[in-house]
Amino acid sequence: MNFTDFDFDENTKQTLNMLDIRDRVPHAVVIESSDGDKVLELAEFLSMWAVCREDNKPCGRCAQCLKAGKKAHADIKYAYPEKKSRTYSIEQMRDIAKDAFIRPNEADSKVYIFEDADNRLSPIVQNSLLKLLEEPPQSVLFILLCENSKKLLPTILSRCTVFRLKSEIAFDEKCRENAEGIIKGLLTSREYELLKALNVLCDKENAEETLSIVKLILRDGLAIQYGGKAVFDAELGRDISLHLTAGRIIELSELTESAEKKIMQNININLLTTWLCGEYRRISWQK
């Protein structure tokens, strides 16, 4: 991806590049930050990427990108509550659902951006949107901007890739230690060590943050594989890059994100850790 003219943190760049490399840019994205300008900047970047037809997207120079940057593209729609209402209505969501299945006017994709989604999307309207996310039209990107993603329904979050934008990466020290233990267990040949490390996920309060850190460390390994720099844990990132191929690192990261979503859906933690251990082992030790 081409980040010229965009000022994103290295973690966000790593995540986007990893998704692009595997052709896994999702159909639905949640962007979370207390900085409204930052979430809008990432939304603009993704919308330009979606409509740009150049090889190094978004090029920032083609007609599609220029229109997207001016919020004047016919296939990029910023949804706002109707009239004086503070929230989106069911009727409005139904209209969006119908429009999403109509072919784009100018580009190869359509984009729908919902600002202040955590406050403007009521649970009823979110359930209406959920049907659209479960069976999305082809070449449509939904972007939900918010300050607190936890206000959104777990079913919505489970179908989206969440970007949490931070000026500084700051995590609970216990979660960081737990994540480091999981990575070390991943790299060892002893299955018991990995399963023991994964048992920390039984602390549901910290499980999601722990897995978020695991993803960051895996992305450090991928960055080093491609000649870049680690932004979170250089030492463990280097160990990962030495032991695993880029393809396996990406698979492990995608698996970790899948586990995060299962935690949001209140899956049985014992079943999750057993499944995750088996899948981690399968990917990291396959021949």
Side-chain angles (χ1 to χ4, degrees):
M1 286 186 173
N2 180 18
F3 298 107
T4 304
D5 299 327
F6 288 91
D7 182 25
F8 300 134
D9 61 84
E10 289 301 318
N11 174 49
T12 299
K13 291 179 183 178
Q14 281 185 13
T15 304
L16 288 168
N17 273 328
M18 184 184 71
L19 291 169
D20 193 32
I21 288 167
R22 293 281 287 187
D23 195 24
R24 295 288 181 87
V25 176
H27 67 277
V29 168
V30 171
I31 305 174
E32 177 189 75
S33 177
S34 57
D35 188 333
D37 291 337
K38 282 295 182 184
V39 294
L40 280 171
E41 184 182 22
L42 183 51
E44 179 184 326
F45 173 85
L46 288 172
S47 64
M48 289 171 67
W49 178 90
V51 299
C52 183
R53 289 174 174 154
E54 299 300 319
D55 292 333
N56 191 21
K57 304 193 299 182
C59 69
R61 300 182 303 276
C62 68
Q64 305 287 340
C65 284
L66 292 174
K67 288 181 182 180
K70 294 176 181 177
K71 293 188 179 181
H73 199 293
D75 296 315
I76 300 173
K77 303 181 186 298
Y78 286 78
Y80 298 105
E82 296 173 332
K83 300 178 181 178
K84 294 182 180 180
S85 174
R86 294 184 179 181
T87 59
Y88 300 106
S89 67
I90 285 286
E91 291 74 19
Q92 189 177 3
M93 193 57 65
R94 286 173 181 162
D95 288 342
I96 289 172
K98 290 177 184 177
D99 186 72
F101 283 94
I102 298 173
R103 293 181 64 180
N105 293 285
E106 301 177 30
D108 298 322
S109 301
K110 276 188 168 184
V111 182
Y112 296 87
I113 299 171
F114 300 86
E115 294 184 45
D116 199 17
D118 47 343
N119 295 315
R120 292 177 176 173
L121 287 173
S122 68
I124 293 175
V125 175
Q126 286 185 58
N127 280 321
S128 178
L129 174 62
L130 180 62
K131 295 176 183 178
L132 195 56
L133 298 184
E134 287 174 336
E135 298 180 9
Q138 286 189 339
S139 302
V140 174
L141 173 61
F142 299 96
I143 304 176
L144 281 63
L145 312 183
C146 64
E147 186 173 349
N148 183 4
S149 63
K150 293 188 183 298
K151 288 184 179 180
L152 298 173
L153 296 176
T155 47
I156 292 287
L157 292 175
S158 69
R159 286 161 178 81
C160 299
T161 294
V162 181
F163 290 89
R164 293 184 173 93
L165 306 182
K166 298 181 180 181
S167 57
E168 231 174 78
I169 299 177
F171 290 103
D172 181 85
E173 192 58 37
K174 180 181 178 182
C175 293
R176 180 165 187 152
E177 289 176 6
N178 291 343
E180 289 173 351
I182 291 172
I183 292 292
K184 290 174 182 176
L186 235 173
L187 296 175
T188 186
S189 59
R190 296 182 290 277
E191 185 174 4
Y192 170 75
E193 292 298 327
L194 175 58
L195 189 58
K196 180 180 174 184
L198 287 169
N199 278 336
V200 299
L201 300 180
C202 291
D203 178 4
K204 283 191 176 183
E205 187 175 334
N206 295 314
E208 188 181 343
E209 186 168 328
T210 295
L211 290 177
S212 293
I213 299 171
V214 169
K215 286 195 302 182
L216 287 174
I217 299 172
L218 288 169
R219 287 167 192 164
D220 278 342
L222 187 65
I224 293 171
Q225 283 270 6
Y226 284 98
K229 294 182 180 180
V231 298
F232 189 77
D233 193 316
E235 185 177 348
L236 281 178
R238 189 163 47 251
D239 288 344
I240 289 166
S241 69
L242 290 172
H243 287 83
L244 301 168
T245 64
R248 291 185 185 184
I249 296 171
I250 292 170
E251 281 189 73
L252 290 168
S253 185
E254 290 176 346
L255 175 63
T256 306
E257 182 162 341
S258 176
E260 270 188 287
K261 292 179 179 179
K262 289 179 185 295
I263 287 174
M264 293 177 194
Q265 296 170 326
N266 293 318
I267 191 173
N268 181 287
I269 291 294
N270 289 328
L271 290 176
L272 176 71
T273 53
T274 302
W275 167 78
L276 196 53
C277 180
E279 289 299 292
Y280 273 155
R281 290 274 298 170
R282 178 186 63 78
I283 294 169
S284 60
W285 290 98
Q286 63 186 330
K287 295 184 179 179

